[in-house]
């Protein structure tokens, strides 16, 4: 996941689909779509239990991403999965700090920081999610993003050479999931990207900050993708609902190529 000319599309399957056979069908669709749209770097994050059976059926692409990992290597942590475990069954990258993990499972900044440190240590590419709960007019969301970016970037302080492992996914909560009413507009997204770049530039040179891939996530679909994909600085998208529907996924890819 590097900042190059290819557009990144990560399908976050969340807790879907309901059976392995449906997951295999969806995976086949991803393979077909990837070969049809080589200008797009396609990856998908299936539920943890599907990692192994899906990874054993795939070649190098599309990349398989683990939706969640823990920062310890082993031990009495019922229900958790270490980075090495996920890697051993085929995960090539990990999602860290998704808003649903923060919201429903109490994942906080401290544990997100530890997960990032561990992923750096394990040389595991990571997509770290940040995003404000609401877009308030007083600008408090700016502080929220600053705090979250601090958590993301602090573990890289003495390991700037490892920044190649990092992709940031900006996902405002108000635009995510089945309750969201709308995606962000292209203007809102561009101004937020500039803000993120400015905050990142306090940790590193602006040139370096520009090289960290930034994805947008939240209600992305075939209708809004062309606008979102053309926002300068945005390298790709993290897609939930629409990533489960192969026709919609293909429409997204088609419209990215047109944009
Ligand atoms: P959505 O989810 O596309 O369904 O809004 C995005 C995400 O949670 O990653």
């Amino acid at each position: 996941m590097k900042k190059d000319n290819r557009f990144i599309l990560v399908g976050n399957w969340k807790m879907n689909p309901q059976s392995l056979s449906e997951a295999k069908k969806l995976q086949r669709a991803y393979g077909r779509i990837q070969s049809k749209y080589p200008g797009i770097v396609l990856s998908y994050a299936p539920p943890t239990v599907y990692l192994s059976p899906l990874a054993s059926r795939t070649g190098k692409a599309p990349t398989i991403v683990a939706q969640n990992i823990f920062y310890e290597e082993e031990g009495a942590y019922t229900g958790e999965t270490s980075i090495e475990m996920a890697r051993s069954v085929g995960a090539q990258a990990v999602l860290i700090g998704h808003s649903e993990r923060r919201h429903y499972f109490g994942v906080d900044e401290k544990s997100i920081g530890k997960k990032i440190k561990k992923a750096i240590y394990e040389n595991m590419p990571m997509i770290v999610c940040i995003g404000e709960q609401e877009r308030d007019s007083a600008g408090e969301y700016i502080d929220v993003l600053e705090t979250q970016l601090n958590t993301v970037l602090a573990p890289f302080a003495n390991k700037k050479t490892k920044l190649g492992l990092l992709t940031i996914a900006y996902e405002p909560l108000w635009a995510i999931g089945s309750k969201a009413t709308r995606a962000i507009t292209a203007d809102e997204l561009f101004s937020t990207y500039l803000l993120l770049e400015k905050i990142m530039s306090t940790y590193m040179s602006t040139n370096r900050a520009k090289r960290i891939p930034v994805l947008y996530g939240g209600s992305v679909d075939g209708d809004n993708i062309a606008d979102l994909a053309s926002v300068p600085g945005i390298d790709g998208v993290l897609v939930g609902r629409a990533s489960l529907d192969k026709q919609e996924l293909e429409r997204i890819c088609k419209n990215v190529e047109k944009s």
Side-chain angles (χ1 to χ4, degrees):
M1 276 168 237
K2 291 227 173 64
K3 207 148 189 152
D4 59 18
N5 290 328
R6 299 210 297 158
F7 191 80
I8 300 165
L9 195 163
V10 184
N12 176 12
W13 293 3
K14 307 192 179 183
M15 201 170 76
N16 300 291
Q18 285 193 39
S19 70
L20 178 58
S21 65
E22 286 172 87
K24 285 180 177 170
K25 267 192 214 147
L26 192 55
Q27 182 197 34
R28 276 197 291 276
Y30 272 68
R32 275 197 303 274
I33 293 170
Q34 176 66 90
S35 31
K36 212 164 153 189
Y37 299 94
I40 293 174
V41 186
L42 199 56
S43 33
Y44 56 98
T48 309
V49 287
Y50 298 154
L51 283 173
S52 177
L54 296 186
S56 62
R57 310 167 74 236
T58 184
K60 271 174 90 184
T63 302
I64 302 194
V65 180
Q67 287 182 13
N68 180 42
I69 44 84
F70 194 50
Y71 48 76
E72 296 290 353
E73 262 160 46
E74 60 183 344
Y77 304 104
T78 304
E80 292 295 331
T81 308
S82 73
I83 291 182
E84 269 315 300
M85 287 171 186
R87 186 176 353 237
S88 75
V89 293
Q92 293 151 290
V94 295
L95 265 186
I96 295 178
H98 189 275
S99 63
E100 285 152 12
R101 299 295 315 166
R102 294 175 190 254
H103 182 70
Y104 296 115
F105 304 99
V107 172
D108 58 11
E109 293 298 316
K110 199 167 159 205
S111 80
I112 291 168
K114 286 185 179 175
K115 289 177 182 200
I116 294 170
K117 256 196 196 147
K118 188 67 180 164
I120 294 173
Y121 178 77
E122 301 285 0
N123 266 320
M124 178 58 109
M126 68 195 101
I127 303 163
V128 186
C129 304
I130 59 166
E132 75 278 8
Q133 195 127 16
E134 52 183 313
R135 181 58 67 114
D136 61 305
S137 50
E140 272 181 34
Y141 73 93
I142 297 175
D143 295 340
V144 172
L145 292 175
E146 215 160 355
T147 305
Q148 292 177 340
L149 270 182
N150 179 39
T151 301
V152 178
L153 297 173
F156 288 95
N158 301 316
K159 300 202 162 41
K160 294 225 167 96
T161 51
K162 300 270 193 150
L163 276 165
L165 295 171
L166 177 65
T167 294
I168 289 176
Y170 168 63
E171 300 203 300
L173 261 77
W174 47 270
I176 291 183
S178 46
K179 291 188 195 116
T181 47
R182 66 172 183 97
I184 203 166
T185 64
D187 282 351
E188 286 168 327
L189 183 55
F190 184 50
S191 60
T192 312
Y193 173 76
L194 292 178
L195 173 69
L196 297 181
E197 192 188 280
K198 193 170 156 211
I199 301 171
M200 290 197 282
S201 302
T202 61
Y203 290 86
M204 61 191 87
S205 69
T206 308
N207 270 346
R208 195 164 217 159
K210 280 183 198 293
R211 285 205 302 273
I212 296 176
V214 176
L215 315 183
Y216 167 72
S219 303
V220 173
D221 61 23
D223 291 330
N224 57 31
I225 186 67
D227 279 351
L228 297 170
S230 55
V231 172
I234 296 299
D235 301 283
V237 280
L238 179 57
V239 186
R241 271 161 301 169
S243 78
L244 297 167
D245 174 341
K246 55 181 198 277
Q247 267 127 18
E248 192 61 15
L249 184 72
E250 178 146 17
R251 210 156 70 86
I252 293 176
C253 294
K254 200 188 262 172
N255 291 340
V256 165
E257 292 225 324
K258 271 202 230 151
S259 69

